[in-house]
């Protein structure tokens, strides 16, 4: 199994289209923003369907995958500072710590605790 390099962040390619980039900026500024894609589409002057196509074409990820990566990337800093998982989950937009841990595990293959234990074990 491949492990991310120490200090690695989740890959987060940015879309080029101005509407999708504006949406990306909103989420990078506030990963916990609870709005759905329809509300974001309205805010950036696009349709949800167009944004779905743009994110996939320009980032190689679906909008939902991209959003998860934004949230997990933001979570890394909090976790590295030693913040409790429950607090981190709330800060980055997850309703429950278990939902956050499940998303973290889907992306990394590890729980947050084992992810950081692996980082400490690598030279």
């Amino acid at each position: 199994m491949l492990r991310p390099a120490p200090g690695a962040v989740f890959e987060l390619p940015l879309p080029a289209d101005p509407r999708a980039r504006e949406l990306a900026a909103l989420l990078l500024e506030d990963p916990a923003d609870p709005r759905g894609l329809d509300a974001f589409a309205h805010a950036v002057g696009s349709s949800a369907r167009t944004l779905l196509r743009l994110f996939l074409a320009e980032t190689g990820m679906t909008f939902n995958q991209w959003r998860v990566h934004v949230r997990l990337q933001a979570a890394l800093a909090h976790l590295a500072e030693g913040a409790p998982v429950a607090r981190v989950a709330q800060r980055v937009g997850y309703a429950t710590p278990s939902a956050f841990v499940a998303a973290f595990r889907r992306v990394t293959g590890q729980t947050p605790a084992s992810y950081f234990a692996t980082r400490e074990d690598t030279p």
Side-chain angles (χ1 to χ4, degrees), residues 10-48:
F10 298 99
E11 184 177 337
L12 196 60
L14 294 173
D17 181 274
R19 296 161 295 182
R21 191 174 276 292
E22 185 178 349
L23 169 51
L26 290 170
L27 283 172
L28 288 167
E29 184 177 314
D30 181 10
D33 191 323
R35 288 183 282 182
L37 186 57
D38 287 332
F40 279 122
H42 182 72
V44 301
S46 184
S47 72

Side-chain angles (χ1 to χ4, degrees), residues 13-76:
L14 294 173
D17 181 274
R19 296 161 295 182
R21 191 174 276 292
E22 185 178 349
L23 169 51
L26 290 170
L27 283 172
L28 288 167
E29 184 177 314
D30 181 10
D33 191 323
R35 288 183 282 182
L37 186 57
D38 287 332
F40 279 122
H42 182 72
V44 301
S46 184
S47 72
R49 189 173 175 139
T50 296
L51 289 171
L52 286 172
R53 282 194 298 266
L54 287 170
F55 268 86
L56 187 57
E58 297 183 2
T59 69
M61 298 177 178
T62 67
F63 170 73
N64 287 333
Q65 289 170 329
W66 194 88
R67 184 178 204 164
V68 166
H69 280 242
V70 166
R71 288 178 169 179
L72 296 181
Q73 187 176 52
L76 283 178

